[in-house]
Every structure is written in C-alpha cells, then in structure tokens.
C-alpha cells in the first residue's frame, strides 16, 4: 500500500497533447451538443426536451441544424452530462455550467460519451442482440491494438482480432449449442455478421471522435485520434493500477470487488470502482452491480450504488427502472437526485418519510452485520424521527425484512437499559405480528 501511495503519477504516451489541447478537441466534438443543451436548458430556461415533436422543430430552426442533428446532439448532451431530465423538462447539468472554464469537466464528459458510444449509434438491423453484446464486450481488445500500433491499422486485421476475441468469449462462457449449424452456414453467418458489426463499432467510435476511418492505399484503415488514444491509455492504466492492488479487484466479481472495497475510504474505493469498470462493458457491469444490490447484504447494496455513481449517465436508465423495487427505491432516488445535480447533503429531501425510514433500517442492518456496536448506537441519532417511540412505530410500519434483527442488535448494543427494553419489546411485537 505504501508503494501505491508513493507511486508517481503515470505519464501519458509520448506525443499525447496536453490536457488543454485534449479538452479543446473534446469541446469541438461536443460543440453541437453544447449548443443544443444551452438552447434547451440555459437560454430558454426549463423547457421540454427537444428530441422530438415541436420542441425539436423549434431547436432545429433556432440552431440551423437538421432534426436528425438535433436528436443526435441531444443524446450526446445527455450522455455527456450536459443536461438533466426531470420528466420531460430539461435543465442544465453541472458540466454545462463548467464547460468553458474546467478542462477536467470537459474531458470527463467526453469520456462518458466515449464509454457510451454504443448507445449513441444504433446497431445494425436484423442482428441478434447477443451478437451486438459480444462485439461491444470484445471491442476493448480492438482499441488496445489500435493504441499499441500508434498508427493506422487495416480493418481486415481488426476483423481477425475481433473474431478471435469473440471466440474466446464464447469459450469462456462454455457455450455449447444444442444443434450445431452446418460448417458452411456457420461460416456464412460469421462472415456476414462480424464485418457489419465491426463497421458499426468503428463508425460509432468515429462519430464520438475516438478514431478516424480512411480509405488508405491498401484498403480501409482506422486510426485513433489523440482523444481516443488518451482515453484508451487511461483505461489501460486504471486496469494496471487495479491489477497491482493486493485484493486484485480487477479480476473479481462485483460482489467480491465490493467486499474488497468495504474497508477503503471513499477516494481509493472510487479508484477501484473505476478500474473494475474499465475492464468490463458498462452494460454488463451495471447489470452485475444491480444484481448484487438486490441481494440480502445491505452493505453491498449501498456500495453497489456508490459504484453506480462512478458509472454516471450510462447507468441512468437501469437505475431509474429500479425505482419500482421497494428494496432499491431509496438508493435509486438518491442516485437520481445526485445525478441531476443535487448536493449529496440535500439529496435526502427527495425521500418520503417512509422511504427514509426504510433506508435507516437497511443501513442499520449493514452496520449490525459489518460494523461495531458503537456505530449502531450512533446510527440511532441519524433517524429523521424526533423520538425513539416514533422511530419504532414507523419502523414497524415500513415492514423491512431485517426489522427484527436490527431491533435486537440495537437493544443489545444500547447502554440505556430502559431504551434497550423498549426496543426489545418492539422487536418481539414485530416478530409475533403484534401492534
């Protein structure tokens, strides 16, 4: 750990432009998105999102862009964190406020777009979603080759690598089809499918400014832009740093990774989350984190949403979908509030009294399972209810599945005999179904 703390900051590859120049290039890539975001969320105040309908037509006329450009720019603005949606109402994101003065905010916004390139660029029609997912999962290998080559690479060479990586992924999953197709049919499907999907991926990355596609004298070739080269280097560096950690979180499942981060302070934990995410496709990582959040361990539930805060915009749709799940609803509402710009200290205001009480019990369960008794006693002071009797009444009403265990642990930990007795009585009443 001492070695890691004193490790000098890694230097980007030779020839990488300064951050100010990279930020200038990122601003250029997102210029239309910024114009649309400012039109929708700043110059006009709160307004209907201009992705479709009359708002799109007004935006196209005001900005001299086509409806297609408005739609694409709006999607980019959302994924880069330039705008926030509250229902159908658009408001400026914090990155939009800092866009002209904060190079770090600009680069983080562009990297969020780079990570979500497959959401911006519609996949080819008639292709199975599983095949699209395989290509997205295999693409980091292709980007690594482009980064290591430090120059143009012919598309056929990238296709060979992509095919090899897809086969490796299938072998890792031990996929054994029940009825194997004829060799000719399999070859035709693979030959027809992967080239189209590779073209789709390269065009999608070119659309967000990560690479360029040129005819070339020997055939079509791809080259990383300075921005793309820098972004791939950042991802590789995160993986290398994580691989050097004693826990080896980069190779762990989401559950084991979160357990390994449980004792870390917030800064190092976020660094581990970023490195773990960098080694995976965001869609699969988000799904894995939410699967852990649905488990019984309340500590891992909270940590999973901390990791999802690092994911940011690409996780928005999945997190919003969990609002309907009672066990995840308070966490999801807080995540959404902070994503939309609320101060973390004020985000609790979005929760109802019942949701706050549920979250209090869930957090108490995490403390009871993993913390010290003194922490559980101090947790009592964080309840929104003004008195212990009111807290106990509302705890019984919300029906958290861990209510009895939490009350028993709190009664055992609290030094006040009278209060401990009242809590034990409440635990017994909940256990027996009494009032």
């Amino acid at each position: 750990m001492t070695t890691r703390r004193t490790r000098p900051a890694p230097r980007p590859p030779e020839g990488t432009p300064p951050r100010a120049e990279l930020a200038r290039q990122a601003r250029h890539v997102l210029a239309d998105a910024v114009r649309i975001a400012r039109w929708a969320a700043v110059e006009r105040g709160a307004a209907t999102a201009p992705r479709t309908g009359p708002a799109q037509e007004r935006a196209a006329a005001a900005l001299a862009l086509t409806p297609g450009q408005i739609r694409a720019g709006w999607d980019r603005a959302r994924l880069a964190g330039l705008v926030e949606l509250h229902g159908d109402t658009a408001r400026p994101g914090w990155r939009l406020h800092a866009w002209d003065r904060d190079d770090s905010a600009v680069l983080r916004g562009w990297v969020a777009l780079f990570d979500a390139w497959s959401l911006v660029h519609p996949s080819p029609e008639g292709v199975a979603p599983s095949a699209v997912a395989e290509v997205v999962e295999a693409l980091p290998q292709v980007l690594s080759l482009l980064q290591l080559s430090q120059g143009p690479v012919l598309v056929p060479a990238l296709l060979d690598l992509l095919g090899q990586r897809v086969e490796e992924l299938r072998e890792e999953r031990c996929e054994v089809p029940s009825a194997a197709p004829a060799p000719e049919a399999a070859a035709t499907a693979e030959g027809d499918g992967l080239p189209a999907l590779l073209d789709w991926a390269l065009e999608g990355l070119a659309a967000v400014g990560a690479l360029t596609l040129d005819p070339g004298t020997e055939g079509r070739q791809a080259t990383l832009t300075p921005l793309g080269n820098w972004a791939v280097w950042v991802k590789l560096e995160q993986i290398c740093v994580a691989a050097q950690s004693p826990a080896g979180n980069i190779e762990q499942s989401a559950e084991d990774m979160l357990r390994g981060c449980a004792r870390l302070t917030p800064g190092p934990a976020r660094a581990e989350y970023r490195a773990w995410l960098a080694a995976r496709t965001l869609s699969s990582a988000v799904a894995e984190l939410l699967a852990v959040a649905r488990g019984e361990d309340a500590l891992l539930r909270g940590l999973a949403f901390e990791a999802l805060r690092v994911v940011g915009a690409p996780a928005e749709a999945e997190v919003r979908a969990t609002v309907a799940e009672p066990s995840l609803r308070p966490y999801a509402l807080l995540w959404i509030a902070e994503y939309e710009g609320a101060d973390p200290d004020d985000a609790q205001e979005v929760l109802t009294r019942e949701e706050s009480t549920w979250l209090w019990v869930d957090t108490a369960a995490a403390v009871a399972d993993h913390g010290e008794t003194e922490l559980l006693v101090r947790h009592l002071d964080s309840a929104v209810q003004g008195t212990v009797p009111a807290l106990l009444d509302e705890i019984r009403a919300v029906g958290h599945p861990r209510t009895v265990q939490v009350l028993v642990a709190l009664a055992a930990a609290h030094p006040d005999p009278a209060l401990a007795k009242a809590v034990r009585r409440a635990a017994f009443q909940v256990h027996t179904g009494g009032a």
Side-chain angles (χ1 to χ4, degrees):
M1 291 299 292
T2 303
T3 303
R4 286 190 68 198
R5 285 195 195 101
T6 58
R7 182 175 181 261
R11 295 181 178 275
E14 187 176 350
T16 301
R19 284 178 68 85
E21 172 59 20
L22 291 171
R24 186 196 66 78
Q25 295 177 17
R27 286 186 177 97
H28 175 74
V29 171
L30 285 162
D32 283 351
V34 170
R35 291 179 63 206
I36 294 167
R38 285 179 171 156
W39 180 87
V42 176
E43 295 176 7
R44 301 175 64 249
T48 302
R51 196 180 189 279
T52 57
Q56 183 194 71
E57 295 171 4
R58 291 197 301 272
L63 301 174
L65 297 172
T66 67
Q69 289 173 320
I70 293 292
R71 187 164 51 250
W74 178 252
D75 288 341
R76 291 183 179 202
R78 286 192 62 202
L79 292 170
L82 297 170
V83 291
E84 301 162 359
L85 278 187
H86 301 258
D88 286 334
T89 300
R91 296 179 188 170
W94 71 269
R95 283 187 183 135
L96 187 63
H97 291 304
W99 196 254
D100 292 329
R101 66 177 186 276
D102 188 340
D103 289 347
S104 294
V106 172
L107 290 173
R108 285 197 295 270
W110 182 83
V111 169
L113 179 65
F114 169 72
D115 287 338
W117 67 268
S118 59
L119 302 179
V120 181
H121 197 57
S123 57
E125 294 183 2
V127 178
S130 59
V132 174
E134 285 177 340
V135 168
V136 172
E137 189 174 357
L139 205 63
Q141 199 96 349
V142 174
L143 290 170
S144 297
L145 174 62
L146 285 168
Q147 200 263 347
L148 293 171
S149 299
Q150 298 182 347
V153 178
L154 292 172
V155 169
L158 298 178
L159 182 61
D160 288 343
L161 177 62
L162 180 65
Q164 293 172 21
R165 182 59 183 146
V166 167
E167 285 303 314
E168 289 172 0
L169 291 171
R170 290 172 181 168
E171 290 175 7
E172 289 170 8
R173 287 193 293 267
C174 298
E175 291 185 353
V176 181
S178 55
E184 298 82 1
T188 301
E190 190 165 314
D192 290 343
L194 278 186
L197 285 170
L198 177 61
D199 287 344
W200 164 71
L202 294 176
E203 289 164 5
L205 289 163
V208 299
L211 55 80
T212 59
L213 288 168
D214 303 300
T217 56
E218 300 179 10
R220 202 157 68 116
Q221 56 191 24
T223 310
L224 286 178
T225 64
L227 264 178
N229 190 64
W230 169 78
V232 174
W233 170 79
V234 168
K235 300 291 182 185
L236 291 172
E237 179 61 24
Q238 288 173 344
I239 292 171
C240 291
V241 169
Q244 294 170 6
S245 70
N249 288 323
I250 190 68
E251 299 173 357
Q252 303 298 323
S253 66
E255 181 173 345
D256 291 339
M257 180 273 294
L258 293 172
R259 290 191 189 281
C261 293
R263 295 291 181 181
L264 298 178
T265 55
R270 281 192 295 271
E272 293 288 343
Y273 301 151
R274 290 189 188 98
W276 185 85
L277 291 164
R280 290 157 178 79
T281 60
L282 285 176
S283 58
S284 63
V286 170
E288 197 174 342
L289 289 169
L290 287 175
V292 174
R294 293 185 178 99
E296 296 182 358
D297 195 321
L299 175 65
L300 297 187
R301 185 159 30 256
L303 292 176
F305 274 86
E306 287 300 318
L308 288 167
R309 284 176 173 83
V310 174
V311 177
E316 181 186 5
E318 288 81 357
V319 172
R320 287 188 184 277
T322 65
V323 169
E325 302 177 41
S327 64
L328 302 188
R329 180 177 174 82
Y331 294 94
L333 291 174
L334 291 175
W335 188 98
I336 292 166
E338 292 178 31
Y339 172 73
E340 292 178 344
D343 187 286
D345 294 333
D346 301 329
Q348 293 275 349
E349 296 175 2
V350 305
L351 302 182
T352 65
R353 182 77 163 239
E354 291 77 12
E355 290 160 356
S356 293
T357 302
W358 177 285
L359 184 61
W360 186 93
V361 178
D362 211 48
T363 307
V367 176
D369 290 343
H370 302 279
E372 300 174 356
T373 56
E374 293 82 359
L375 291 177
L376 190 58
V377 174
R378 288 205 296 271
H379 183 58
L380 190 61
D381 297 331
S382 68
V384 296
Q385 293 78 6
T387 65
V388 170
L391 172 63
L392 295 177
D393 286 343
E394 294 187 28
I395 284 177
R396 286 195 290 261
V398 299
H400 192 289
R402 295 291 305 279
T403 297
V404 173
Q405 294 95 322
V406 165
L407 292 177
V408 169
L410 182 58
H414 207 284
D416 184 335
L419 189 147
K421 182 178 180 181
V423 174
R424 273 195 301 273
R425 186 185 304 114
F428 179 76
Q429 290 171 343
V430 174
H431 177 65
T432 57

